[in-house]
Every structure is written in structure tokens, then in C-alpha cells.
Amino acid sequence: MTCAGLSVLVCTCLSALFEVHALPLPSPNAQVLLANADGDATADVFVLDGLRLVAYPSAANYAPVAIPLAEDTSAFDIADLDSDGRNEVIGVSRERILCYTIPAEGTAPPPRELFTLHTQFADAGRSPFPRVIVVKHEGRPLLALPCSGTIEMRGADGTLVSQHPIKENTEIDPHAFGFLSRSFGDLSIDVSIGRYPDSQSALPDGFSAAPLEDILKRRPYGYKRPNDRSEEPYWWFALKTDGTTQLRALCSPGSPRHPVTNIRIREASSEEDDFLDKNITLGPERRYPGNVILSKDRPDFNHDGYVDLILWKAPMPGMSVDALTRAITGGAWPLDIVVHLFSPEKKRFEPVPRAQISLTVPVLWFLQGGPIRNEVFRDFNGDGRTDLACSNAKNGFAAWLFTENGFSKSPDFQYTFPEPISGLVFAADLDGKGRTSIGLRGEKNFYLLRPAS
């Protein structure tokens, strides 16, 4: 039985919420990517290590499919170039534009050369890196290639369809180059042309040229520096799940020895006024015990369209050397995570927590950046409510489902991995069914937590 198969079997016995698939990482530098490797609508996992690209199709129960990349490959893309419903791998190896078939199993055959063209990708480093190259333009897939002073749109046979000038004397950084992304569920690749979009470039339809201020407004949270000594710095986060920032929560911390979060609700009369910082109304300051957890996930636990407040708090040990030594040698320390729902009618977070989770985490985490690790605030079971997951040990992970009664005392899912977890790679709805999958990275394996069927 494979490692992935064993993980699924063990996890199914513990919980019906997630299946766990363990996919090997050949080296610490291996990258994990998401794209479609087969003909279904579910995004699959790819692992890139040097010139070796390996796909793990979900339809084949994540059996590995190897796609060896040609020497000197720089940029590559995974997309459907011939509109047959299955993706290919498009690679740039110096002047050669290559196309690799992704087989159903085994190892891909050598690539076929589509055409030759000198692009800015040809001058990039010799380590492969993923970039969006294939774009839909006027209803057909084309290759969008950055050349000297232009972006060239070419067919699969190399036929030049159109050229689009890049601003004079501007070179595109190939490693920061991208187009409007294809998405898998709600996961998409960041969009940029060069380091900043240039609205003066004659870009074709479907390319990004959004003003920088529009991009900044879509941030789910940020930090406000004081304009003078009379102002206190604060964090803010948007209160609407649609990402608009007309209504925000302004958060400032209390004393480190008595952690509280002070919150004021900021409301602008319009989105334009919000951006210009005028016609602003500030509500009264209210205090909530604990430290705020900011998340790009925009957690909405009761599914009312408003972001809710999440705080963590923990009993602090005394400051004597003996007390600190006992805490550190004890290994784990209690931690509470609490949720205060936002009331749009009252324009405040409710003073009484709607839900609370109690767990223990390694005490050293408090001294190494904070006790909340690999947190995910997304919908895991497709009921529209935000759920919660995080690491509860160096090699442990747990998840709680939010219901009308809040969270259960015990996790709805917990799993102990054979190695420490070093980071969260992604949290995304891979099949478009409203259920979030989670990708976690260890030193030797990548772990895919996929909602159980």
C-alpha cells in the first residue's frame, strides 16, 4: 500500500471530514503547484523539483505522473492549448517553445517543438518557474509571449496573431510576469505585468491593467501608521465579505501584560470617500479581551455577509525565571480562540463570544512569532459557514466545524503527521463544490487534506 493510501485509510478511521494524501517532496526546494492534470474539473497537485515535474491526478487517486522538462527550461504553463478538454505543459527552453502531453499514467513522452522565438523568457534563469502563458483571446487559446518591446500573441503553430506594445524603455521582469489568471474554484494566481500594471500599454482584451489603487483597495486588511503623535497606529480589516472597504474595523492592542483589542468601527459614506478618507464616521471604542487574528480568508461564521472577529488569549506565566522555566519545560500551554459575531444592525461586534475553542500548543510558539500556526478560516463541509483549523502541535493539525451552537469541545478532525509541519501551502475549493481543501508542507512530504466524499 502506498503512503498516500495508508494516510487515507488512517484518516478515514479518525474522521469523515478530510482524507489525507501524502505526496513525496524530493528536496527542500521542491515547489507545489495546482492545475488540472486530467479531464475532470478538480484541480490537481503538481510538484516541481528542478527539471522534474510530477503530477498527482485526483481521478487516479493521486498516482504520480512524471513530466521531465527539457534542459534550459525557464517559464512553463499548464493549460489546454488545443481545446480538447485536457491540459498540456507548455515550456520555454531558450528559443524553443515546447508542448508536453500529460499522460494518464507513467512518464510523459518527449515534448514536441511548436516553433522557435526569442522571448524575454529565453534570457531568464535556467531554473523552471510557472507563469501564465496560454490565454483565451477572442475565443481561442493563444500563447502570450513577452518579446522586445511587445507582447506577442501567437497560435500553437507560431502564427503571429497580434502585437501589443509595452511602454517604451520598459523591460518585463520574467519572474514577475503574469496575465489574468485561470482559477480553480476560488483559488487564482496573482496578476501583474512587470512589477506594476501599466495602463498606458496597449494590452489586449483579457489582460490586467488595473490601477494600483484598485489593487490596494482589495486588500482584506492593512496597517495604518500615525500621521502625527496624537494618533495611535492600528490594524484594520474590511467588514464586508465582498472585499469592499467602506465599512472597516480599526484594531489597536492593549498592554502586553493585559492583552485586549480595542476596536472602533469606521464607516465611509461611499467607496470613493473611503479611498479619499473623507466623510468618515467613527464609532465608539470597545474593548475585547484577547489578541486579534487577522486573516485574508474574511471569516464569516454565521454566513451573513459580514466578517467576524477572532481573538486568541492564553494565561500568561509569571515573569520570574522559575515560572518561565517551568512553562518552557512543560512543553505545551493552554490557548483559547474566541469568535465575536459582527452585528450589522448595531454596527459592532457582540460583546459576548459566540464560540470558543480551547486547545494546547507548544509553549515555544508564543516566543517564536505567535501561537497560531497554519490557521485556516474557511468552509470545510459546504454549509456556507466559516469553519476553523490550525496546528495544535509541531506535527498535529485539527479542525472544528461551526454550527448554530458554535464549536464542539473536541475537534471534528485531528491528525498526527509523521513529521513536523513547516507551513500552509494553500486553502482552496479545488472542485467548486464549496468545500475547502488544505495543503500542508513537511520536510519530506506534502499533505493534501481533501474533504471526504
Side-chain angles (χ1 to χ4, degrees), residues 261-424:
T261 297
N262 303 310
I263 292 185
R264 303 184 73 179
I265 303 303
R266 173 191 183 275
E267 185 174 19
S269 58
S270 67
E271 281 291 297
E272 181 179 1
D273 284 349
D274 167 61
F275 180 68
L276 297 175
D277 202 21
K278 68 178 186 179
N279 297 325
I280 303 298
T281 301
L282 288 177
E285 184 174 87
R286 292 184 169 90
R287 296 161 61 88
Y288 297 85
N291 303 276
V292 66
I293 302 174
L294 297 172
S295 173
K296 61 182 176 58
D297 288 335
R298 297 173 182 152
D300 177 12
F301 291 93
N302 58 340
H303 194 43
D304 65 351
Y306 290 89
V307 175
D308 300 312
L309 176 65
I310 312 173
L311 303 163
W312 69 266
K313 51 187 178 180
M316 298 301 293
M319 297 308 293
S320 69
V321 173
D322 287 344
L324 291 173
T325 300
R326 285 195 301 271
I328 292 174
T329 56
W333 195 256
L335 174 72
D336 292 333
I337 300 176
V338 297
V339 172
H340 294 261
L341 300 181
F342 182 73
S343 171
E345 296 81 14
K346 301 175 183 177
K347 292 186 179 178
R348 71 176 190 186
F349 294 103
E350 295 291 0
V352 178
R354 182 65 179 82
Q356 177 173 319
I357 289 171
S358 297
L359 66 157
T360 60
V361 297
V363 69
L364 286 177
W365 287 3
F366 289 88
L367 308 176
Q368 298 172 343
I372 311 298
R373 300 287 175 94
N374 305 316
E375 66 273 17
V376 180
F377 306 109
R378 302 288 291 266
D379 183 2
F380 302 142
N381 60 353
D383 66 355
R385 298 185 177 99
T386 293
D387 305 309
L388 187 158
C390 64
S391 289
N392 58 353
K394 290 190 298 184
N395 60 340
F397 196 76
W400 291 259
L401 297 176
F402 188 87
T403 69
E404 293 181 356
N405 298 318
F407 296 115
S408 60
K409 291 185 177 180
S410 300
D412 296 282
F413 167 88
Q414 58 182 338
Y415 194 80
T416 300
F417 300 94
E419 60 179 328
I421 295 301
S422 59
L424 172 71

Side-chain angles (χ1 to χ4, degrees), residues 19 52 118 135 201 229 294 333 340 352 379 411 433:
E19 298 174 348
R52 183 175 174 82
H118 185 82
V135 297
S201 297
R229 293 183 180 179
L294 297 172
W333 195 256
H340 294 261
V352 178
D379 183 2
K433 295 181 179 180

Side-chain angles (χ1 to χ4, degrees), residues 157-296:
D157 60 356
T159 301
L160 179 63
V161 176
S162 60
Q163 290 180 305
H164 304 272
I166 304 170
K167 187 177 180 180
E168 189 175 358
N169 298 324
T170 297
E171 285 193 6
I172 293 176
D173 177 359
H175 292 275
F177 185 83
F179 294 106
L180 279 180
S181 62
R182 294 175 299 276
S183 63
F184 307 105
D186 53 2
L187 182 72
S188 61
I189 304 169
D190 289 336
V191 178
S192 65
I193 294 178
R195 287 185 172 82
Y196 300 101
D198 173 25
S199 59
Q200 299 179 8
S201 297
L203 299 176
D205 293 339
F207 283 60
S208 171
L212 183 60
E213 57 266 24
D214 287 350
I215 295 174
L216 295 178
K217 283 180 67 177
R218 290 196 290 268
R219 293 179 302 170
Y221 58 84
Y223 179 70
K224 172 69 165 60
R225 298 183 183 277
N227 294 323
D228 56 55
R229 293 183 180 179
S230 65
E231 288 190 61
E232 292 292 333
Y234 59 81
W235 288 95
W236 64 264
F237 62 90
L239 281 168
K240 293 295 293 294
T241 56
D242 61 8
T244 56
T245 55
Q246 183 177 348
L247 190 64
R248 307 187 193 190
L250 312 184
C251 314
S252 58
S255 165
R257 290 185 61 84
H258 302 285
V260 297
T261 297
N262 303 310
I263 292 185
R264 303 184 73 179
I265 303 303
R266 173 191 183 275
E267 185 174 19
S269 58
S270 67
E271 281 291 297
E272 181 179 1
D273 284 349
D274 167 61
F275 180 68
L276 297 175
D277 202 21
K278 68 178 186 179
N279 297 325
I280 303 298
T281 301
L282 288 177
E285 184 174 87
R286 292 184 169 90
R287 296 161 61 88
Y288 297 85
N291 303 276
V292 66
I293 302 174
L294 297 172
S295 173
K296 61 182 176 58

